[in-house]
Amino acid sequence: MSKAADNPFFDLSRQAALVAGRDLTSASGREVRVLLVEPASADAELQAAKVREAIDMNVDAINMSVLDPPSATPLINEAAARGIPTLTFDSDAPDSDRVTYYGIDTIDASMTAARLLAKLMGYSGQIAIMTSEDTSGAYIERINAFKDEIGKHDSLSISTSVICGPVEVMEKAGCAQLLEEVTEAHPEIKGWYLARGRVLRELDLAQKAPKWSSRQRSGEIVSVGFDVTDTSLPNLKDGLTNALIGQKLFGWGYDVVFMTFDMLTTDRRFEPFFNSGFDVVCGNNVDEAIANWKAQDFRGGLTACELLSESN
């Protein structure tokens, strides 16, 4: 269960969950049915109704990305009381009776982004951050951990932050115009932390942000962003960012279904947090990542980004 059926960010995890069901059926000799039970849109009440629907269906387990913890927690607890365990991914309900939360170590991922950007900038210069209106604990960690790591370098400083929220997405060409505005107002900026990487998923980013794109391609500025998707990867390949930090979108579906199967059939136990790890995509492995996306299959993993060995 994703946050919303109309959210394409979950397309890969949906496909991965169905693949996991087929793989488990083939390997175990048992029929493993994966049902996509999702709210039509990102609405807490709609998601709560879908959790209720799953409970009433008496499913064996629920895997979900929690949209609103206060709304979801009572239902997750009710499911647990009725013998239906819940595993969360992407977004958690930490005060509920869910079994475990599968996700990245946000602090580690954000510190890695900071180290990569610092290296690319030669450990000197001013940085801009593109953020969002997200106030979740994980997103706050994404910003604060980055700032803490950058703060270790006296010659690096964060000069400005801009919000890419729903209004900016609609009125600022998917936030691309924000890149242009900041580039014009702050020509001294050498590095960008695209903590909200929505802008990198714009298919015509170079046309929407020509000045920023020209400076990025020439190396006058460098950038590191979240997340790795089929629409952000072409922009990386086209020189419009230097590296992407990727959550395990395939794992949200594939790994979590496998974990659920093991829990139900072998009594496998989990700690409250299951660290999924994260991908770093850069010049040397971008073609591999693109191929994996086209195949909708990340079971083979991804070659390490060569920048990682240089970022410590």
Side-chain angles (χ1 to χ4, degrees), residues 30 75 140 206 293 296 299 310:
R30 306 181 185 188
L75 289 164
I140 291 170
W293 264 96
Q296 295 280 282
R299 285 175 291 183
E310 306 170 3

Side-chain angles (χ1 to χ4, degrees), residues 11 64 71 75 87 102 111 121 175 178 217-218 262 295 301:
D11 286 350
M64 68 180 297
S71 301
L75 289 164
L87 285 73
Y102 175 100
M111 290 174 66
M121 293 177 65
C175 295
L178 291 176
R217 284 170 168 160
S218 71
D262 287 348

Side-chain angles (χ1 to χ4, degrees), residues 59-89:
V59 296
D60 293 300
I62 298 171
N63 300 159
M64 68 180 297
S65 173
V66 178
L67 181 61
D68 180 60
S71 301
T73 292
L75 289 164
I76 293 173
N77 294 348
E78 179 184 340
R82 292 177 56 172
I84 302 172
T86 298
L87 285 73
T88 59
F89 62 90

Side-chain angles (χ1 to χ4, degrees), residues 3 27 36 40 49 72 90 93 177 211 242 246-247 249 260 267 275-277 283 286 299 301 310:
K3 291 186 177 78
L36 300 179
D90 173 44
Q177 288 180 12
K211 292 180 181 178
N242 298 84
Q247 302 179 77
L249 306 185
T260 303
D267 198 31
N275 189 350
S276 66
V286 63
R299 285 175 291 183
E310 306 170 3

Side-chain angles (χ1 to χ4, degrees), residues 29 34 43 54 90 96 137 140 147 153 202 210 222 233 241 243 260 274 283 291:
V34 175
D43 180 278
D90 173 44
S96 72
I140 291 170
K147 289 181 176 179
H153 304 282
E202 288 295 307
V222 291
L233 286 168
T241 190
T260 303
F274 188 98

Side-chain angles (χ1 to χ4, degrees), residues 42-54:
D43 180 278
E45 291 186 3
L46 291 178
Q47 188 178 61
K50 286 298 181 180
V51 177
R52 166 63 60 196
E53 179 182 329

Side-chain angles (χ1 to χ4, degrees), residues 193-214:
Y193 175 43
L194 301 169
R196 186 184 186 197
R198 165 67 176 76
V199 71
L200 290 175
R201 300 198 289 274
E202 288 295 307
L203 298 180
D204 51 354
L205 177 57
Q207 287 71 47
K208 291 179 176 178
K211 292 180 181 178
W212 183 89
S213 298
S214 176

